Amino acid sequence: MRAPNRLAGPSPIMTRLSRLAKLNDAERAALSAAATDRRHWPARREIVPEGAPIRESCAILSGWACRQRILHDGRRQILNFLIPGDLIGVSHHGNPVASATTLAVTDVTTCVLPSAPAGSGLAEAYAFCAALEDHHNLAQITRLGRLSAAERIADWLLETQERLLLAGLAVGDELPFPLTQEFLADTLGLTSVHVNRTLQAMRHNGLLASRSGTMTLTDPQRLREMVGYRAPHLPGALQDFEQGSM
Amino acid sequence: MRAPNRLAGPSPIMTRLSRLAKLNDAERAALSAAATDRRHWPARREIVPEGAPIRESCAILSGWACRQRILHDGRRQILNFLIPGDLIGVSHHGNPVASATTLAVTDVTTCVLPSAPAGSGLAEAYAFCAALEDHHNLAQITRLGRLSAAERIADWLLETQERLLLAGLAVGDELPFPLTQEFLADTLGLTSVHVNRTLQAMRHNGLLASRSGTMTLTDPQRLREMVGYRAPHLPGALQDFEQGSM
DNA sequence: CGATCGTTTGACAAGGGTCAAAATGCGTGG
DNA sequence: CCACGCATTTTGACCCTTGTCAAACGATCG
């Protein structure tokens, strides 16, 4: 299926999880059923406070959230964003506790995840989600430790595009983009002033374009060259849907 | 048991895993047996190359290793260090692939981990190790994104002390320290020159002292205040052994 | 006793931060 | 449709932390 990605299709969790592992009909039905019982969070509301015990795993159905830490003196670091299809609170040991605050960035809808017996396709999908998240954490460490401001932005945008495509939420190089420059700054270890200036420079260089709510990667190839971008390892035949714009 | 930490005691994996979860005699025996079949790696040797398929999980028995990524232009980011008692390659999904290169920093000894049936104490210990690693990754993101050079060093030293104490490898505020300043720099997103100058300043301020192979936290309290240090959440009654030096 | 690796120092450059204000955009209510 | 208020983006001037380059110094090892 090399068909163009569409936005109206099946729900992002369904799209994403069934791309990450083979799900049988019962599992797909269980997912659909779970997605019926929704929970709504207005923008800026805490979804999970840091340190809270974790009882159940959830998925994001719509909207963007982020996981963040606030330092003793008020500085903030955003660890990552959660987009539709992402999971919250998957863990494998007893007594799990939230290691960061999860915050709704836009209005957000979540649902509780169906439990997955060991060995099932769902369990595999959940495990793969966790592995992907880990991969993104390592990428974030590398970004913050060793990339310049422009490189951080380029690298982060490419990764975010990848994730949006995986969930069927982006078309080619045009990404839905609900973040303020301050969110980006707190993600990339910069100030919003500097993010602003760097974005401007990248626009002038023909790398990016943005309208409210949308970011377009005008020259994804050059963005990739800037940072030597490598996609994360996904299961087998998956790689092809990513190529939207080569 | 509030007895002072000693270095000669049981092996670091045994110490650490049995602090992280309740292990029965059979499990402890299995661990001891596994630790018999050792593998040796000279300093600077790659233990696991990035992208390699992961067949089995290992533990570090002695020496320090690190996980690192090399960028297209040669820049290096060290993601974390592995000290005795740490695990390598624990994962929960099929087809796992190493997401970073694991490199021996000093001479290193490893062994293959005994498999752990779901629900066993060992499985719980392994899962807790993974959770701790995840916690440290998030701490690393925060360090790199929002702390100054001196704060990064302080925060990293406190975390490393915590980890060494957990494995029974440190006494109070005196840490074994086999790293060059360049390793520290590549960990903390700095240059070795700047690490050098910052360490000097911290020594002059009475925060640190170092002889070859050892780093002493001269004023851990002030170090903690510098960064608002919070220890990670460990299982129940564990917290007490950490307090070596209040 | 060289060779080599690691630490230290100096002089200088630059990327990014800070502070403050202006401009722009946008939702709300009149 | 306009006006207002608030959030976000943009700009400018200036400063500081950290990086760069290069050399000197020190220790360790065959």
Side-chain angles (χ1 to χ4, degrees), chain B residues 29-245:
Chain B
L31 260 188
S32 297
T36 294
D37 185 13
R38 303 175 168 217
R39 218 160 147 187
H40 297 273
W41 313 83
R44 290 158 193 271
R45 174 74 48 85
E46 277 192 10
I47 297 177
V48 183
E50 180 171 352
I54 296 175
R55 300 170 204 296
E56 53 197 14
S57 309
C58 302
I60 305 271
L61 296 179
S62 70
W64 287 38
C66 71
R67 299 206 308 146
Q68 65 174 30
R69 286 198 175 165
I70 303 291
L71 305 193
H72 57 110
D73 61 353
R75 282 174 287 185
R76 167 170 85 156
Q77 178 63 45
I78 292 177
L79 304 166
N80 57 22
F81 290 97
L82 302 172
I83 62 176
D86 281 340
L87 312 187
I88 310 181
V90 177
S91 99
H92 291 283
H93 71 290
N95 185 36
V97 152
S99 51
T101 298
T102 302
L103 185 81
V105 175
T106 64
D107 291 349
V108 164
T109 319
T110 63
C111 71
V112 174
L113 279 176
S115 64
S120 66
L122 263 186
E124 175 72 8
Y126 293 171
F128 213 101
C129 282
L132 266 183
E133 192 179 322
D134 194 62
H135 182 92
H136 291 136
N137 282 340
L138 302 189
Q140 173 76 337
I141 289 172
T142 307
R143 250 194 303 271
L144 294 175
R146 283 297 179 233
L147 299 192
S148 71
E151 291 170 330
R152 288 182 206 184
I153 291 176
D155 189 61
W156 182 87
L157 281 173
L158 290 167
E159 178 186 285
T160 301
Q161 177 187 33
E162 194 106 19
R163 293 175 55 198
L164 289 166
L165 286 172
L166 180 56
L169 290 166
V171 181
D173 295 313
E174 200 169 314
L175 319 179
F177 195 78
L179 305 181
T180 66
Q181 295 179 357
E182 189 171 351
F183 271 101
L184 246 195
D186 284 343
T187 303
L188 299 179
L190 303 166
T191 58
S192 59
V193 172
H194 197 62
V195 164
N196 182 288
R197 292 187 166 125
T198 309
L199 282 176
Q200 275 178 65
M202 294 175 82
R203 269 177 266 172
H204 287 151
N205 291 329
L207 293 166
L208 303 177
S210 55
R211 318 189 310 275
S212 99
T214 306
M215 171 81 66
T216 306
L217 311 188
T218 312
D219 192 342
Q221 189 51 44
R222 196 139 53 93
L223 288 172
R224 280 189 273 268
E225 284 161 10
M226 279 179 65
V227 296
Y229 190 74
R230 296 169 295 185
H233 250 289
L234 292 175
L238 251 180
Q239 315 288 5
D240 54 357
F241 80 91
E242 311 241 0
Q243 310 300 347
S245 63

Side-chain angles (χ1 to χ4, degrees), chain A residues 69-225:
Chain A
R69 286 200 175 162
I70 303 290
L71 306 193
H72 58 110
D73 60 353
R75 284 174 287 182
R76 168 171 83 156
Q77 177 64 45
I78 292 178
L79 304 166
N80 56 21
F81 289 97
L82 301 172
I83 61 176
D86 281 341
L87 311 187
I88 310 180
V90 178
S91 97
H92 292 284
H93 70 289
N95 184 36
V97 152
S99 50
T101 298
T102 302
L103 186 81
V105 174
T106 64
D107 291 349
V108 164
T109 320
T110 63
C111 71
V112 173
L113 279 177
S115 64
S120 65
L122 263 186
E124 175 72 7
Y126 294 171
F128 214 100
C129 281
L132 266 184
E133 192 180 323
D134 194 62
H135 182 91
H136 292 137
N137 282 341
L138 302 190
Q140 173 77 337
I141 289 172
T142 307
R143 252 194 302 273
L144 294 175
R146 282 298 178 231
L147 300 192
S148 70
E151 291 171 330
R152 288 182 206 184
I153 291 177
D155 190 61
W156 183 87
L157 281 174
L158 290 167
E159 178 187 284
T160 301
Q161 176 187 34
E162 193 106 18
R163 293 176 54 198
L164 289 167
L165 285 172
L166 181 57
L169 289 166
V171 180
D173 295 313
E174 201 169 313
L175 319 179
F177 195 80
L179 305 181
T180 66
Q181 296 178 356
E182 189 170 353
F183 271 101
L184 247 195
D186 283 343
T187 304
L188 299 180
L190 303 165
T191 59
S192 59
V193 171
H194 198 63
V195 164
N196 182 288
R197 292 185 165 126
T198 308
L199 282 176
Q200 276 177 66
M202 294 175 80
R203 269 177 260 163
H204 288 150
N205 291 328
L207 293 167
L208 303 178
S210 56
R211 318 188 311 274
S212 99
T214 305
M215 171 79 66
T216 306
L217 310 189
T218 312
D219 193 341
Q221 188 52 45
R222 197 139 52 92
L223 288 172
R224 279 190 273 268
E225 283 162 10

